[in-house]
Amino acid sequence: MLKTLKIGLVFGLILSACTAQAELPYGYKVVLLTENFPPFNMAVDDKNFARDDAIDGISAEIVRAMFKRAGIDYSLSLRFPWDRLYRLTLDKPNYGLFSTTFTPERQPLFKWVGPIAKSGWVLLAAPGNNLSVGSLKEAAQYKIGAYKNDAVSQHLESQGLQPVNALRDQLNVQKLLKGQIDLWATTDPVGRYLAKQEGVSGLTTVLRFNEAELYLALNKETPDEVVQRLQKALDELRSEGFVDDMTSSYL
């Protein structure tokens, strides 16, 4: 009798697991998009197009581990520009985008899994520039360069500022050095990393005006089952120390 009960219990658990998996359509796959946003996600060869294992970075490694643990299939590609990837994820079911900064304005536009990582928003000045500002309101008198449709740029616009937006954040490094912009609004440590790639060091942090969390943003039509399984997988990876270890390995 006890043996029969145990067999029934095991069968029930297996059936339950199969039922949970069956909540997703057969062959279900998430189309994951990302961009060069080092050290969080980047092409191994530094180009603006890459697929699967040719993409690395803190967020890329964590997202891969999340999907593997959650048992959800995916494809991963790195493309350009961010503005196009953002709009694709807004419009196409089962698309996902990372590393996406979570903001109150964006919250209703996507379904979210995270946080995957943290970053800060800063205004940077060229080496030797002694600009001093105490707030974004004070910074409004200067020409500020930013990255089109990035959360930093969107925030500046929401505060009444008019940033000069570039399609690639790297372009702001040279614009800053040439005096085409006075300040560069970007994410830390991304800005310093991009400047280093351009052979530039010694940029001055004029103002640190926000702390941000980076997430995986999923199209609103993504099944809740997918969101729940991915969030559970991320929470487990964080509790096991994987997220901290991966972050430390890149910074």
Side-chain angles (χ1 to χ4, degrees):
M1 178 67 181
L2 184 57
K3 183 177 180 181
T4 303
L5 183 61
K6 287 182 178 178
I7 293 173
L9 180 59
V10 171
F11 179 77
L13 290 172
I14 294 173
L15 182 62
S16 176
C18 291
T19 302
Q21 290 290 108
E23 290 182 27
L24 298 180
Y26 177 77
Y28 179 84
K29 177 186 287 189
V30 176
V31 179
L32 289 174
L33 301 175
T34 191
E35 62 155 353
N36 276 314
F37 186 57
F40 299 109
N41 20 271
M42 50 198 171
V44 173
D45 60 6
D46 294 326
K47 294 182 179 179
N48 281 322
F49 180 80
R51 289 187 183 277
D52 302 318
D53 292 340
I55 302 167
D56 63 5
I58 297 168
S59 297
E61 298 293 355
I62 293 171
V63 168
R64 281 194 186 98
M66 283 164 47
F67 273 82
K68 182 177 180 180
R69 179 164 295 202
I72 298 172
D73 196 14
Y74 68 93
S75 64
L76 173 59
S77 61
L78 179 147
R79 300 178 182 228
F80 166 82
W82 171 263
D83 183 56
R84 179 170 178 268
L85 307 184
Y86 186 86
R87 296 186 184 281
L88 277 171
T89 307
L90 276 174
D91 296 339
K92 291 188 172 289
N94 304 325
Y95 269 57
L97 179 63
F98 72 91
S99 300
T100 308
T101 302
F102 180 91
T103 66
E105 294 81 10
R106 286 176 170 176
Q107 184 174 7
L109 302 178
F110 301 97
K111 291 184 179 179
W112 300 88
V113 177
I116 298 170
K118 295 183 179 181
S119 63
W121 294 354
V122 293
L123 293 179
L124 300 178
N129 191 319
N130 295 319
L131 277 179
S132 176
V133 298
S135 66
L136 286 180
K137 185 176 181 180
E138 289 183 23
Q141 62 186 298
Y142 298 105
K143 187 178 290 186
I144 301 174
Y147 184 20
K148 187 176 181 180
N149 248 343
D150 179 63
V152 179
S153 176
Q154 291 176 344
H155 179 75
L156 295 181
E157 291 168 350
S158 74
Q159 299 299 305
L161 281 74
Q162 297 179 323
V164 181
N165 288 313
L167 284 178
R168 298 177 67 229
D169 210 14
Q170 292 93 326
L171 297 176
N172 287 310
V173 179
Q174 293 303 321
K175 290 172 74 173
L176 195 62
L177 295 182
K178 293 176 182 178
Q180 295 172 348
I181 56 175
D182 302 308
L183 295 167
W184 175 20
T186 187
T187 304
D188 184 58
V190 177
R192 288 183 286 122
Y193 190 99
L194 293 177
K196 185 177 180 181
Q197 285 187 315
E198 298 291 316
V200 177
S201 60
L203 297 181
T204 304
T205 301
V206 174
L207 180 69
R208 192 175 186 95
F209 58 94
N210 192 33
E211 299 297 326
E213 293 184 323
L214 305 178
Y215 279 67
L216 166 64
L218 296 162
N219 180 274
K220 285 200 72 173
E221 294 186 31
T222 302
D224 289 339
E225 171 73 7
V226 171
V227 179
Q228 292 162 7
R229 280 161 59 176
L230 289 172
Q231 187 64 58
K232 181 175 182 291
L234 176 59
D235 292 343
E236 290 173 355
L237 289 167
R238 176 169 284 108
S239 68
E240 293 165 10
F242 178 86
V243 173
D244 287 341
D245 291 344
M246 190 55 60
T247 302
S248 299
S249 70
Y250 278 91
L251 296 177

